[in-house]
Amino acid sequence: MSTLIKEAAAATRTGPGRVMLTLITPGIGSSGEYTPEVLEQAAKDVVFPRGTQSHINHDTTIERMERPGGDLRNLAMVTVEDAVWQPDWVDPETGVKGRLAAESRVSSAWRDFVEEFGEFIGASVVASADIKETSTGRVVEKLYPSKFNRCDLVTVAGRGGGISEVLEAARVIESRSMVSETVTADIGNYLRSAVRDTHGAGDRYAWLQDFDDTYVYFEQDSRTYRQEYALTGVNAALSGEPVEVRRRTEYDPVAVNTATESKNSPPVPAGATQKKEDAPMATTQIEEAELATLRESASRAATVEVELKEAQAKLAAAETARTQATAEAIVAEAFGDTEAKVTRAALITAALAAESFDAEQLKADATEAAAEIAVTHGAGTPRGVGESAKVTESGKTITSESIVSALHGKAA
């Protein structure tokens, strides 16, 4: 089974808005040792084709699951040619010969950033690979083409690679006038993440309720708080201390169009004189009292409806959190010390996506999957980078994904 790797790359300036990226050089990297033959074959297989993207920072594990293709707001540059093997190129710092390289175009949205910080940041590739464990260490045997392969800009490159000269890079959103160009839904997503990361530690949960130009409003432990925030590019930073607030609903009077009202009023019968001012004072007072009562009743009903919806939302969130925690506990107990992050996550996701959560079925599936993985993990199998695989005597490859698929098929 192929493994996702991340390795250092370097870039040099070739012209306005263009750089020459050194994706990988022969030698030992964080994922294993690369031979010139493997990198030359990667060029022939077009592992990094024209259009390979470079984003700002690698995606986290959760981000890869939720959005495998990455976020276009983080797109910094793309290659304008297939990566090629250059055997005669020599690294001026290390003296290493050969590299896998491609010319890339830098996005105008990120040029200032890369120009300013290019010498302090690095570049790192993300690709699928076959890795073999040997007596002297890990060896990368093959790199595979994938539409998700990338070469991202990162804070520290894994193998000393860096950006020596990159022209014209990032311009992030930093002023209020530019923030207005960001859609409301995006700002809500930024603030939702900021609230969750800042106040959702451990088993405590925090939910975004609302926001305005100055404050974000969130709920935690059945209390509502507000806190100041600021937008920086595609991130939102909370500042100051949260202050507990009370939520209230306001009602504004409806403006009456007198011209329309007069036009729609019934005609006055012939011979009759319309004199509203002659209406008894008691009748007017009764009408006003009834109107006040109706308004008060409507206000209470609206408030109760809002509170009911809030309570239903809290209950649904609590039930979801409890089910998630139960599923994670079941899988953790079944797997024990066995690493299998992908399999664990797949089992939990499948259980939560079912029409109804079946704890006993999840326990049985997790126990069986853990047993299968324990059997397939043999001596000398790479651990810690991705899910391991084993080839049986029949020649069939058993992977964590195949175990989960088999369990799902059995459940169906």
Side-chain angles (χ1 to χ4, degrees), residues 351-358:
L352 296 178
E355 293 184 359
S356 61
F357 178 71
D358 190 338

Side-chain angles (χ1 to χ4, degrees), residues 9-33:
T12 56
R13 174 178 171 179
T14 60
R18 290 179 180 257
V19 298
M20 178 62 73
L21 280 177
T22 300
L23 284 77
I24 310 177
T25 59
I28 298 176
S30 60
S31 297
E33 181 178 1

Side-chain angles (χ1 to χ4, degrees), residues 34-103:
Y34 298 86
T35 64
E37 293 75 18
V38 167
L39 300 185
E40 183 177 7
Q41 186 62 45
K44 294 178 181 178
D45 295 338
V46 195
V47 173
F48 298 97
R50 181 181 185 275
T52 296
Q53 298 181 0
S54 296
H55 288 213
I56 299 298
N57 293 325
H58 286 318
D59 297 330
T60 65
T61 302
I62 294 178
E63 287 171 339
R64 285 199 302 271
M65 294 174 62
E66 294 178 345
R67 188 185 280 123
D71 192 332
L72 282 178
R73 289 169 294 192
N74 297 331
L75 178 60
M77 55 188 177
V78 296
T79 59
V80 295
E81 64 178 355
D82 297 342
V84 297
W85 170 244
Q86 299 176 344
D88 297 328
W89 179 84
V90 178
D91 189 324
E93 295 183 2
T94 64
V96 174
K97 289 191 62 176
R99 67 172 177 175
L100 194 62
E103 186 172 334

